[in-house]
Amino acid sequence: MDYSFAKLLVLLVTSILTNNFIFSRFLGCCPFLGVSNKVETAAGMGMAVTFVMGLASLFTWLVYNFILIPLKLEYLQTMAFILVIASLVQFVEMFLKKSSPSLYRSLGIYLPLITTNCAVLGVTLINVESYANNLLFAVCNGIFGALGFTLAIVLMAGVRERLEFSKMPSALKGFSSSLIIAGLMSIAFLGFAGLGS
């Protein structure tokens, strides 16, 4: 398979817009709906997920190719990947607690839930299937996918912040309006379908 700069650029565009983890693959919806109340919190969650997904893509690719395959233990990939992701999330949690206590408090329970965020595990499994022979593309796929996640969660937070000051029927306030917004944003992102093909 030819891995060129053009293919890397196509991977960037498709990961962020066409194959967005939230709007196309429906992975990572829990933090997407739970942490998208304020733009600052959403951006912080997006940065944390980007860091974890990038490093998880690197370490799980190495674990898979240099430990699991030589030992013929490929069937343990999900368990091994979850252990790697959990370790990375612990590192991020300790770092945020020290460097940005306010962001750490605002992320609350959703920060340790990155461990079970299906987008993080999903990207590692996609990398094993699609980029088993290329570490650069596997890591880039993780980072670009996380940037798509960040774009989605920040856009959602921006819309939800604006809706706080608008008049709407009481039946649509709260979580129901979030689901409607997420559906409309998903439809809007369908406009990018076929962009990378």
Side-chain angles (χ1 to χ4, degrees):
M1 190 176 223
D2 177 34
Y3 293 104
S4 62
F5 179 74
K7 291 204 179 227
L8 202 58
L9 195 57
V10 168
L11 180 65
L12 171 69
V13 171
T14 56
S15 295
I16 293 176
L17 300 175
T18 311
N19 296 327
N20 188 292
F21 276 103
I22 299 288
F23 300 130
S24 174
R25 298 180 181 189
F26 307 108
L27 297 173
C29 290
C30 178
F32 171 71
L33 293 170
V35 188
S36 59
N37 290 328
K38 300 205 176 303
V39 172
E40 294 166 17
T41 309
M45 176 59 114
M47 288 188 298
V49 168
T50 302
F51 181 76
V52 170
M53 280 176 85
L55 285 181
S57 297
L58 171 67
F59 289 124
T60 55
W61 190 93
L62 294 172
V63 165
Y64 186 78
N65 284 291
F66 294 110
I67 297 174
L68 298 180
I69 289 178
L71 297 175
K72 300 194 183 326
L73 297 173
E74 295 95 333
Y75 61 92
L76 292 176
Q77 72 181 12
T78 305
M79 201 174 0
F81 291 178
I82 289 173
L83 286 172
V84 169
I85 293 165
S87 303
L88 290 170
V89 170
Q90 283 297 113
F91 174 72
V92 169
E93 197 171 353
M94 290 186 301
F95 177 76
L96 283 179
K97 195 172 186 180
K98 277 285 205 197
S99 65
S100 181
S102 59
L103 179 60
Y104 174 78
R105 281 191 303 277
S106 64
L107 290 174
I109 188 66
Y110 292 99
L111 186 58
L113 283 179
I114 294 175
T115 303
T116 57
N117 185 341
C118 51
V120 180
L121 181 60
V123 78
T124 60
L125 296 173
I126 289 167
N127 287 340
V128 165
E129 187 179 316
S130 302
Y131 305 108
N133 298 327
N134 193 302
L135 176 61
L136 173 65
F137 270 67
V139 173
C140 288
N141 185 47
I143 293 170
F144 298 159
L147 291 176
F149 175 87
T150 304
L151 174 68
I153 198 170
V154 168
L155 287 174
M156 179 69 156
V159 172
R160 287 177 76 178
E161 277 187 357
R162 297 284 301 244
L163 283 180
E164 282 185 31
F165 303 108
S166 60
K167 293 179 182 177
M168 63 172 44
S170 59
L172 292 178
K173 288 187 178 177
F175 192 67
S176 56
S177 66
S178 299
L179 291 176
I180 293 168
I181 295 164
L184 291 173
M185 289 175 76
S186 182
I187 291 169
F189 269 69
L190 273 176
F192 298 113
L195 193 62
S197 51

